[in-house]
Amino acid sequence: MFLKDYSISRNQFSFFTEINTRWRDLDAFDHINHAMYLTYLETGRFDYLSNIKELKKSIIMASITIDYHKQGYHPSKLYIGQKIVSVGNSSFKILASIFNNEEVSPLISSLAVIVCFDFNEQKTFPVPEIIRNKMK
């Protein structure tokens, strides 16, 4: 699955993290620097998965795809929507979008592949049932 496989709008998400932009997030053209969106997404992903004790210190990102739809500016209140859209044996995909203020269409969209990984054993492990249930 790729981002083009999803029709993305704000009403698809039930979980949001709220972030206020900062002046330091801007680039030389006075819009939010593209790299800052990765930090925003990581904050949202942490909030989304933080209450799942089975994943503490045991996941690794295999890939992330980002589509930039329009420019973001400071000051803004951003809302990062997250949802699990696919679950495999030892990995799952999180679709995320960042919305400016109350806008319905996103500034950016992202698809991240997250792998359940035991760092001590250096091997993958099955996706916990709680993740499968989050997708429903």
Side-chain angles (χ1 to χ4, degrees):
M1 286 190 189
F2 298 98
L3 277 168
K4 65 180 171 67
D5 297 330
Y6 299 95
S7 172
I8 299 170
S9 67
R10 190 183 195 107
N11 65 357
Q12 289 180 280
F13 300 95
S14 60
F15 182 91
F16 290 90
T17 296
E18 187 179 308
I19 293 179
N20 290 310
T21 60
R22 303 163 302 186
W23 179 80
R24 70 181 228 166
D25 298 348
L26 302 178
D27 63 14
F29 302 105
D30 284 333
H31 53 71
I32 296 171
N33 184 284
H34 67 281
M36 289 308 304
Y37 289 109
L38 286 166
T39 301
Y40 300 154
L41 290 168
E42 183 177 29
T43 299
R45 212 172 25 258
F46 176 82
D47 288 351
Y48 185 57
L49 299 173
S50 66
N51 65 340
I52 302 173
K53 66 179 189 287
E54 294 89 345
L55 295 180
K56 297 290 185 198
K57 298 183 182 179
S58 62
I59 59 174
I60 193 167
M61 185 181 306
S63 70
I64 189 165
T65 302
I66 298 176
D67 285 351
Y68 298 90
H69 305 293
K70 53 188 171 180
Q71 298 170 1
Y73 297 94
H74 173 73
S76 293
K77 186 171 290 210
L78 304 178
Y79 295 87
I80 300 108
Q82 307 268 340
K83 72 177 187 175
I84 295 170
V85 293
S86 175
V87 178
N89 293 326
S90 60
S91 66
F92 56 97
K93 294 179 182 177
I94 297 178
L95 178 67
S97 289
I98 298 178
F99 301 90
N100 187 24
N101 297 313
E102 300 301 318
E103 292 181 6
V104 176
S105 59
L107 295 172
I108 68 108
S109 299
S110 167
L111 188 63
V113 177
I114 308 298
V115 177
C116 297
F117 191 79
D118 183 325
F119 291 95
N120 292 327
E121 299 289 325
Q122 288 293 295
K123 65 180 184 177
T124 62
F125 63 89
V127 173
E129 195 62 32
I130 192 167
I131 291 293
R132 295 179 188 284
N133 292 336
K134 258 188 172 307
M135 195 171 106
K136 297 174 183 168

